[in-house]
Amino acid sequence: MVMLMATVVCGCDDDGTDGIPVLPVIEGWIDSDGYPVVMFTASVTSDEAAASLIDKMIVWGKVTISDGSRTVVMTGSLADGYFPPYRYYTFDMKGEPGRTYTVVADYAELHAEASCRMPLPTEISSLRLAAIEGNDSLRTATLSFMAPEDCPAYYCVTVRDLLEKTRPYPAMMGTIVAETPGEKIEMPVYCPKNMLDTASYVSNFHVGSRLEVGLSRVEEPVYRFWTDYDNAVMFGGSQFISASMSLRGNIQGGYGIWSARGTSYVYVDVE
């Protein structure tokens, strides 16, 4: 899958000096009935573009989350299945639709914060797999659901192969808007695109995978971010995301995205 906004490459002025200061970068989420996760890094300047992203991990930061009633300090730890392999988390707060969640991240001179309201989740009607003519090892996938009464509704689809024990990643071209209440919506689901992977990208799912597919209803700013990100991954041709690509995030004081997601899941073995 694509590298999820762990780092932003900042541009330079014509004289070669950095035109954009180093800023905090946040990627985080909290799902309905789930626990929050935040990745907190520093942006990469243009003369550091070849540096390891792991060097930009912030491991001694302070990250808090508030649901409007109480505030919890999140714990930082190494985390397999994430890149960079470090996250902030807590089991002391669980996502509830209708609440607004605010994260604040601080380290030295770096400060960033964001707020996001969690919509009600939309139930998944089905996830259909189909064979591909002439290919016994891959399957297509189609997700269907009914649009809610309070349209427009904005959605992002995530995919995780449970056998690989990694975090969920956004499906390629996995954003959609429901505009007509009660309409049946069907959309193809494609594999996440990992730009850090040296293997060629395959959009369909391998037989033998065990999939968790999530349908997340989100606020419009979150939808816009992931739509922009999709375009950057498809056409940017780099594992780095440039600040000049103007990803429309919701982080005040930095880059990235904080998502409060009303999420429903379906699980399927690809056979």
Side-chain angles (χ1 to χ4, degrees), residues 16 59 75 91 130 143 150 158 162 165 185 196 222 231 241 267:
V59 300
T75 300
F91 297 119
L143 182 73
D150 56 335
T158 59
L162 297 176
K165 298 181 180 179
I185 295 176
L196 299 176
V222 177
N231 292 332
I241 300 302
Y267 299 87

Short mmCIF file of all heavy atoms in Angstrom, two decimals, residues 16 59 75 91 130 143 150 158 162 165 185 196 222 231 241 267:
data_model
loop_
_atom_site.label_atom_id
_atom_site.label_comp_id
_atom_site.label_asym_id
_atom_site.label_seq_id
_atom_site.Cartn_x
_atom_site.Cartn_y
_atom_site.Cartn_z
N GLY A 16 17.74 28.13 -3.30
CA GLY A 16 18.17 26.87 -2.70
C GLY A 16 17.89 26.77 -1.23
O GLY A 16 18.11 25.73 -0.62
N VAL A 59 9.53 10.22 18.85
CA VAL A 59 9.26 9.17 19.83
C VAL A 59 9.10 9.72 21.25
O VAL A 59 8.72 8.97 22.15
CB VAL A 59 10.38 8.10 19.81
CG1 VAL A 59 10.46 7.45 18.44
CG2 VAL A 59 11.72 8.70 20.19
N THR A 75 -0.10 6.89 24.59
CA THR A 75 1.18 6.25 24.82
C THR A 75 1.89 6.01 23.49
O THR A 75 1.29 5.55 22.53
CB THR A 75 0.99 4.90 25.53
OG1 THR A 75 0.34 5.13 26.79
CG2 THR A 75 2.33 4.21 25.77
N PHE A 91 -6.08 2.84 25.04
CA PHE A 91 -7.28 2.02 25.18
C PHE A 91 -8.26 2.64 26.17
O PHE A 91 -9.23 2.00 26.58
CB PHE A 91 -6.91 0.60 25.62
CG PHE A 91 -6.07 -0.14 24.62
CD1 PHE A 91 -4.80 -0.59 24.94
CD2 PHE A 91 -6.54 -0.38 23.34
CE1 PHE A 91 -4.02 -1.27 24.02
CE2 PHE A 91 -5.77 -1.06 22.40
CZ PHE A 91 -4.51 -1.50 22.75
N ALA A 130 -15.33 -12.13 -7.53
CA ALA A 130 -15.59 -12.77 -8.82
C ALA A 130 -14.28 -13.19 -9.47
O ALA A 130 -13.25 -12.51 -9.32
CB ALA A 130 -16.36 -11.84 -9.75
N LEU A 143 -18.06 -3.85 -3.58
CA LEU A 143 -18.71 -3.52 -2.30
C LEU A 143 -20.04 -2.84 -2.57
O LEU A 143 -20.14 -1.99 -3.47
CB LEU A 143 -17.80 -2.58 -1.50
CG LEU A 143 -18.27 -2.15 -0.12
CD1 LEU A 143 -18.14 -3.30 0.87
CD2 LEU A 143 -17.45 -0.95 0.36
N ASP A 150 -29.47 11.00 5.37
CA ASP A 150 -28.87 12.33 5.52
C ASP A 150 -27.70 12.53 4.55
O ASP A 150 -26.56 12.67 4.94
CB ASP A 150 -28.42 12.57 6.96
CG ASP A 150 -27.45 11.51 7.45
OD1 ASP A 150 -27.48 10.38 6.92
OD2 ASP A 150 -26.66 11.81 8.35
N THR A 158 -11.17 1.11 3.37
CA THR A 158 -9.87 0.60 3.78
C THR A 158 -9.81 -0.91 3.57
O THR A 158 -10.84 -1.59 3.59
CB THR A 158 -9.56 0.92 5.25
OG1 THR A 158 -10.57 0.32 6.09
CG2 THR A 158 -9.50 2.41 5.48
N LEU A 162 -5.45 -9.80 6.69
CA LEU A 162 -5.23 -10.22 8.08
C LEU A 162 -4.07 -11.19 8.20
O LEU A 162 -3.47 -11.31 9.28
CB LEU A 162 -6.50 -10.83 8.64
CG LEU A 162 -7.70 -9.87 8.72
CD1 LEU A 162 -8.94 -10.62 9.19
CD2 LEU A 162 -7.40 -8.69 9.62
N LYS A 165 -0.79 -9.19 8.87
CA LYS A 165 -0.70 -8.54 10.18
C LYS A 165 -0.18 -7.10 10.07
O LYS A 165 0.73 -6.70 10.78
CB LYS A 165 0.17 -9.36 11.13
CG LYS A 165 -0.38 -10.75 11.41
CD LYS A 165 0.47 -11.54 12.36
CE LYS A 165 -0.12 -12.92 12.61
NZ LYS A 165 0.71 -13.73 13.54
N ILE A 185 -25.63 1.60 -3.71
CA ILE A 185 -24.35 1.99 -4.28
C ILE A 185 -23.45 0.76 -4.38
O ILE A 185 -23.32 0.00 -3.41
CB ILE A 185 -23.67 3.08 -3.43
CG1 ILE A 185 -24.51 4.36 -3.47
CG2 ILE A 185 -22.24 3.36 -3.91
CD1 ILE A 185 -23.99 5.46 -2.60
N LEU A 196 6.17 1.94 -1.37
CA LEU A 196 7.44 1.51 -0.81
C LEU A 196 7.75 0.07 -1.19
O LEU A 196 8.82 -0.44 -0.91
CB LEU A 196 7.41 1.65 0.72
CG LEU A 196 7.19 3.08 1.24
CD1 LEU A 196 7.10 3.07 2.74
CD2 LEU A 196 8.29 4.00 0.76
N VAL A 222 -12.03 15.08 5.35
CA VAL A 222 -11.29 13.81 5.32
C VAL A 222 -11.42 13.17 3.95
O VAL A 222 -10.44 12.68 3.37
CB VAL A 222 -11.81 12.86 6.42
CG1 VAL A 222 -11.09 11.52 6.35
CG2 VAL A 222 -11.63 13.49 7.80
N ASN A 231 -5.00 10.80 -6.02
CA ASN A 231 -4.47 11.41 -7.24
C ASN A 231 -2.97 11.54 -7.18
O ASN A 231 -2.27 11.32 -8.18
CB ASN A 231 -5.12 12.77 -7.46
CG ASN A 231 -6.59 12.67 -7.80
OD1 ASN A 231 -7.04 11.67 -8.36
ND2 ASN A 231 -7.36 13.69 -7.45
N ILE A 241 5.35 12.58 -0.76
CA ILE A 241 4.25 13.45 -1.11
C ILE A 241 4.70 14.89 -0.92
O ILE A 241 5.07 15.30 0.17
CB ILE A 241 3.02 13.17 -0.23
CG1 ILE A 241 2.58 11.72 -0.41
CG2 ILE A 241 1.88 14.11 -0.56
CD1 ILE A 241 2.24 11.35 -1.84
N TYR A 267 -15.62 -9.29 6.48
CA TYR A 267 -14.44 -10.15 6.43
C TYR A 267 -14.70 -11.27 5.43
O TYR A 267 -15.79 -11.85 5.39
CB TYR A 267 -14.15 -10.73 7.82
CG TYR A 267 -13.87 -9.67 8.86
CD1 TYR A 267 -14.93 -9.08 9.57
CD2 TYR A 267 -12.57 -9.24 9.11
CE1 TYR A 267 -14.67 -8.10 10.52
CE2 TYR A 267 -12.32 -8.26 10.05
CZ TYR A 267 -13.38 -7.70 10.75
OH TYR A 267 -13.12 -6.71 11.67
#
